[in-house]
Amino acid sequence: MPRFDVHQHLWPEQLLAALARRSEPPRLVGSRLDLREGSFETDLGAHELDTRLRLLDRDEVDVAIVSFPPTIGFEEAPELAEAYDEGILELAAASRGRILPLACGEERNGFVGTCVSAQRVVREPLAVQGSLLFVHPGYSPAPPDGKPGWWTPVVEYTGQMQAAFAAWLASGRSDVPIVFAIMAGGAPFQLERLRSRGDRAGVPANVYFDTASYGRHAVDLAIKACGVERILYGSDAPVMDPRTTIESLGSLFDTLAGANPARLFA
């Protein structure tokens, strides 16, 4: 059975060019990515197809589900979404089935699903459409004055994802598969609190969580809360080194990278 990584990012040349043409964030200046939340040196070589395929081989992963993260602002700068969607199809074709892309914001032919921001799910959970939805943190502010650099990814992103998960639950939808990145910011751990406030419905059908940035302790808690079939292996490569999560999963890796995502993507 093939193994999948459901959370990777890969930037085609068309996207790099579109980012470089911009005069204000989000933009790319050389190898520096300027965003509202800050500026970050970026290894552009990590987004070359051959480099990515070698990474998959190293980790014994057959297929990467790739997206352009809303954290870089494609909802605020639609020309970036257009450039990404155009270029990523070329990389996917050259990968011979090892790269499967998600479209930016709207369902499009040739893509395996649609990536949307957590903020959009909060704003309009009934309006978000697609054959499969992947929910990712969105374009975010800089950390508050005096707060460390990790504040935005650890506090802001997780808060967005918990809110998106709650909005999806409140909407009552279960009509399409939906994958929440970064374990929906720890939302599975809040289910007992949710039940204590009177909601006994549990997690609806078609809801899944990826493991990106989390280890075995968090995964075990999510499995106890939701069931192992809800958890999918995702690494957030190249932002994160996949080996940290793979090594922590141990014997669970085959299930979370194999049988579980295969039901959605094989």
Side-chain angles (χ1 to χ4, degrees), residues 6-27:
V6 305
H7 186 164
Q8 290 201 11
H9 304 299
L10 186 62
W11 301 352
E13 287 293 333
Q14 292 89 332
L15 172 63
L16 297 179
L19 281 165
R21 284 193 296 268
R22 290 181 55 83
S23 60
E24 60 184 24
R27 66 177 180 177

Side-chain angles (χ1 to χ4, degrees), residues 243-264:
R243 287 176 294 192
T244 302
T245 296
I246 292 173
E247 291 169 2
S248 73
L249 291 177
S251 60
L252 276 174
F253 181 60
D254 281 336
T255 299
L256 304 193
N260 288 0
R263 289 195 291 270
L264 299 178

Side-chain angles (χ1 to χ4, degrees), residues 118 121-122 158-168 184:
V121 175
V122 172
T158 56
Q160 291 178 21
M161 293 301 295
Q162 286 202 34
F165 175 70
W168 190 260

Side-chain angles (χ1 to χ4, degrees), residues 56-79:
L56 294 178
D57 289 340
R58 185 202 73 181
D59 295 334
E60 299 183 342
V61 169
D62 299 286
V63 179
I65 311 300
V66 302
S67 60
F68 179 38
T71 48
I72 298 182
F74 72 71
E75 292 179 348
E76 291 72 16
E79 75 275 14

